[in-house]
């Protein structure tokens, strides 16, 4: 367990993606009280650690035929084969993702290259889909960002700058569409309320009444948007 003391009013508890228990508490709270707090959350901690452990054990970054890829709420099955091509080509057909490789490509030795190619394909899909979803909600609710950028974001799903620029994590392409829409709505609402005030959440709820369900899904399942 890792203990952090900060200028705050409440004690919070979280489990990192690597299975570390992190407690954040106000400076004035003594260690005995913190220990009792952690003990009171023992059942929750055990359940969360099991969930994280299951995710870690399930991870297999190798890309081979038959592997599944999360894509907008569905599972794409990878089909890999060789052909007379000079570079790797990737295309989707129904629920299959075809990866065509040059005949001299060594799939076992060049996994990192193959993984990068798949990620690049996902990023291109994300740029199209995420910007389309922003456009849908912008037009519907008259919330127009200055610019939309889809990029790598390691710790957040989206952000909205003071200039009205919205950044979205390309990995959102691997979550269900309604969850993507929640993140889009969340960031668009920041154009009107650049904080997490009650007025901000009221606007989110007005646009998406069941947003809490989508938010919960993201918290519980966001860590598994990987190739497996």
């Amino acid at each position: 367990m890792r203990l952090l003391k900060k200028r705050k009013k409440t004690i919070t508890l979280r489990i990192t993606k690597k299975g570390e228990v992190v407690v954040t508490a106000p400076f004035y709270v003594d260690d005995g009280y913190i220990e009792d707090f952690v003990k009171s959350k023992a059942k929750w901690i055990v359940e969360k650690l099991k969930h994280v452990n299951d995710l870690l054990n399930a991870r297999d970054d190798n890309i081979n035929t038959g592997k599944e890829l999360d894509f907008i709420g569905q599972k794409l099955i990878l089909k890999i084969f060789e052909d007379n091509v000079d570079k790797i080509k990737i295309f989707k057909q129904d629920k299959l993702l075809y990866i065509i490789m040059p005949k001299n490509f060594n799939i076992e030795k060049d996994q990192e290259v193959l993984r990068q190619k798949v990620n690049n394909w996902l990023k291109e899909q994300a740029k199209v889909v995420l910007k389309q979803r922003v456009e849908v909600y912008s037009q519907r609710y008259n919330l127009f960002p200055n610019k939309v950028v889809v990029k790598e974001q390691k710790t957040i799903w989206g952000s909205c700058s003071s200039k009205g620029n919205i950044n979205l994590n390309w990995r959102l392409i691997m979550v269900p569409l309604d969850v993507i829409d929640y993140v889009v709505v969340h960031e668009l609402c920041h154009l009107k309320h650049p904080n997490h005030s009650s007025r901000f959440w009221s606007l989110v709820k007005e646009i998406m009444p069941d947003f809490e369900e989508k938010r919960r899904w993201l918290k519980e399942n966001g860590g598994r948007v990987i190739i497996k």
Side-chain angles (χ1 to χ4, degrees):
M1 184 183 80
R2 180 156 56 99
L3 173 62
L4 302 175
K5 289 201 171 183
K6 298 183 177 181
R7 294 183 183 276
K8 57 179 302 182
K9 296 181 179 180
T10 59
I11 301 177
T12 56
L13 179 66
R14 66 184 178 90
I15 311 296
T16 70
K17 292 179 181 180
K18 294 182 179 181
E20 182 183 18
V21 180
V22 180
V23 181
T24 306
F27 286 114
Y28 59 82
V29 177
D30 63 66
D31 292 348
Y33 185 89
I34 294 172
E35 184 177 348
D36 290 340
F37 173 81
V38 173
K39 286 180 179 178
S40 71
K41 301 293 183 181
K43 183 178 179 181
W44 180 87
I45 291 173
V46 170
E47 290 176 351
K48 288 295 181 181
L49 286 175
K50 182 180 183 303
H51 178 69
V52 171
N53 188 58
D54 289 344
L55 288 175
L56 291 173
N57 289 336
R59 289 183 178 178
D60 179 3
D61 287 339
N62 283 341
I63 297 178
N64 295 297
T65 289
K67 291 290 181 182
E68 293 182 340
L69 179 68
D70 291 301
F71 184 77
I72 320 181
Q74 65 176 231
K75 298 288 186 182
L76 294 182
I77 299 175
L78 303 186
K79 295 290 184 182
I80 304 174
F81 57 93
E82 296 180 346
D83 204 349
N84 294 317
V85 293
D86 56 359
K87 61 181 180 179
I88 295 174
K89 296 183 178 180
I90 301 177
F91 65 93
K92 175 182 174 296
Q93 185 174 323
D94 298 324
K95 293 185 178 181
L96 298 177
L97 187 67
Y98 291 95
I99 302 175
I100 307 174
M101 305 183 308
K103 291 186 176 181
N104 62 350
F105 190 89
N106 189 318
I107 191 171
E108 299 301 327
K109 291 183 178 180
D110 296 321
Q111 275 289 314
E112 186 58 39
V113 174
L114 190 56
R115 190 157 38 248
Q116 189 59 52
K117 292 291 185 181
V118 172
N119 280 345
N120 287 343
W121 182 84
L122 286 169
K123 289 175 184 178
E124 290 304 311
Q125 304 305 305
K127 288 177 183 178
V128 174
V129 174
L130 300 185
K131 289 182 179 180
Q132 284 178 344
R133 301 315 293 170
V134 171
E135 181 68 17
V136 167
Y137 283 92
S138 293
Q139 295 287 346
R140 190 177 297 171
Y141 296 100
N142 199 32
L143 295 167
F144 295 96
N146 177 50
K147 183 169 61 174
V148 179
V149 178
V150 177
K151 63 180 184 178
E152 178 84 39
Q153 292 180 289
K154 294 185 180 299
T155 59
I156 57 175
W157 293 108
S159 62
C160 179
S161 75
S162 59
K163 295 181 179 179
N165 297 329
I166 287 179
N167 298 311
L168 296 171
N169 192 325
W170 70 266
R171 294 179 189 278
L172 283 168
I173 198 67
M174 293 184 276
V175 308
L177 186 61
D178 58 349
V179 179
I180 292 175
D181 286 352
Y182 160 66
V183 176
V184 168
V185 168
H186 184 115
E187 301 310 331
L188 286 176
C189 288
H190 276 314
L191 294 172
K192 198 166 186 179
H193 302 292
N195 48 46
H196 288 103
S197 63
S198 58
R199 287 188 298 173
F200 166 80
W201 289 115
S202 293
L203 181 58
V204 173
K205 189 170 186 177
E206 180 182 333
I207 296 174
M208 185 173 284
D210 61 348
F211 81 89
E212 291 182 352
E213 179 184 332
K214 320 305 180 192
R215 188 183 183 200
R216 190 179 311 114
W217 188 98
L218 204 53
K219 285 184 176 181
E220 294 177 353
N221 301 282
R224 69 177 176 82
V225 288
I226 54 172
I227 297 172
K228 63 181 182 178

